[in-house]
Amino acid sequence: MTWSAVLLVTVVVWAVSVIRSVRVRAFVYSLPLPMTLALVTTGHRVDGAQLLGVVGLNLFFVAVAVTHRRLRWPILLADAAGIAAYVALSAGVLAVPAPFEVSLVATVALWAATMAVLALRARAAARRAPAPAGPPGSDGEPAPAADARRDGLAAPVKLVVIFVGAVLTGLLGELLRGMVVTFPYSGVLVAVEARRQLADFSRHFARNSLALVGFLTAYHYLQDASPVVALAAAWAAFALVSAALHLPRRRPAQPAGDPAARPAAPLRPPAERPGSGPGPADQPDGHPVRRHGSAGRSRRPLAGPERTTAT
């Protein structure tokens, strides 16, 4: 791993460490910066194995989240479990041929199934959970106080730790041959930074990973023409898929005649209703009050004995 790759991983992890929103953290991590550098510096070709490597990235975060949140393992041991899961998947992928088109269909189908399961779980959780008491956070979810806490390490110390971790993960990634392209260089350290939000982070990254599939697909079909053109097309595909994934969704508007579309107005007492005043028998002179039928005219009674008959 080159020093430029180490510095790039350090910058990505540092950016993630200072971002509070889980959604933005997942998006910054999903930027294919380490992939681009690995393709430029190693000369590996993109094939079906690299598409399955995106699945391995998601498997890495799932393994870390399960072992750290459910099994209560320390975050470093959970990181080791995630790396072991990625290495095991890589060994299986590299042991058998993986045609690109077959891998592409399988990866997209698995992504769609995962999104459907996550959507069903989110709806079920929304029905069970009470309404949030406070305003939502910047990423549309309530931000727990524990998630907003900063680590106790000073900025220079944290930067050194991130740099050393980037060197170690880079040395490990070089042992994976073609799977080095999708190895979670920064993911190992990002999991430490996002350890209080691993479940939400994993869900957001799983959604963004489709853009990485678009990146690798565009690069695969143009890599024989020119590496520069292939990278430009890959980044364009990543941008297009990311924009489609993050387009705002409009909720269906309720019909105007639907009683549920607007709350019913509270009934007022008869004495407070418009036009309800003293009756004809309550007038001082005993004469009835003359009320105009037009809505635009005043409803004042004709005063005095000079009252005339309206035509």
Side-chain angles (χ1 to χ4, degrees):
M1 188 178 187
T2 62
W3 287 110
S4 59
V6 172
L7 293 176
L8 179 61
V9 171
T10 303
V11 169
V12 172
V13 178
W14 177 261
V16 170
S17 69
V18 299
I19 295 173
R20 296 296 186 89
S21 170
V22 185
R23 182 175 301 175
V24 179
R25 280 185 167 195
F27 177 76
V28 171
Y29 172 70
S30 67
L31 293 174
L33 295 171
M35 285 188 186
T36 300
L37 198 57
L39 290 172
V40 170
T41 57
T42 62
H44 286 293
R45 294 176 56 85
V46 171
D47 208 342
Q50 282 70 40
L51 287 178
L52 298 177
V54 177
V55 179
L57 285 174
N58 286 278
L59 180 63
F60 166 80
F61 280 107
V62 169
V64 175
V66 169
T67 53
H68 181 63
R69 305 296 294 180
R70 297 289 182 86
L71 303 181
R72 304 295 181 182
W73 288 14
I75 187 58
L76 295 181
L77 287 180
D79 250 345
I83 294 174
Y86 182 88
V87 171
L89 178 67
S90 300
V93 168
L94 295 175
V96 296
F100 186 85
E101 284 74 17
V102 175
S103 301
L104 178 60
V105 172
T107 303
V108 173
L110 183 59
W111 179 88
T114 302
M115 293 300 102
V117 171
L118 291 178
L120 290 176
R121 292 184 60 183
R123 291 172 187 171
R127 287 194 298 265
R128 293 193 305 266
S138 58
D139 55 354
E141 300 173 355
D147 293 344
R149 293 181 302 177
R150 292 184 179 272
D151 294 328
L153 293 177
V157 177
K158 178 183 287 190
L159 191 59
V160 172
V161 172
I162 293 174
F163 180 80
V164 173
V167 174
L168 295 178
T169 54
L171 295 175
L172 177 61
E174 290 181 352
L175 303 177
L176 298 177
R177 293 183 291 167
M179 299 300 287
V180 69
V181 175
T182 53
F183 181 77
Y185 291 109
S186 54
V188 176
L189 302 174
V190 165
V192 177
E193 291 293 334
R195 59 188 177 276
R196 301 187 186 96
Q197 303 165 319
L198 276 174
D200 292 337
F201 184 91
S202 300
R203 286 193 293 267
H204 287 300
F205 175 72
R207 183 186 178 193
N208 295 335
S209 61
L210 184 64
L212 295 177
V213 175
F215 175 90
L216 293 172
T217 301
Y219 188 91
H220 168 78
Y221 285 111
L222 293 174
Q223 61 186 343
D224 292 330
S226 169
V228 176
V229 174
L231 281 176
W235 273 96
F238 176 86
L240 289 175
V241 178
S242 295
L245 290 174
H246 294 88
L247 283 177
R249 293 177 174 82
R250 293 184 178 181
R251 296 182 179 179
Q254 294 178 335
D258 190 356
R262 56 180 182 272
L267 296 176
R268 291 182 290 181
E272 297 179 3
R273 291 178 182 172
S276 63
D282 296 333
Q283 303 303 319
D285 53 2
H287 292 280
V289 176
R290 183 66 176 178
R291 300 186 184 276
H292 299 278
S294 175
R297 298 178 183 178
S298 173
R299 295 188 176 183
R300 294 178 298 177
L302 298 176
E306 300 178 0
R307 185 183 301 111
T308 58
T309 303
T311 59

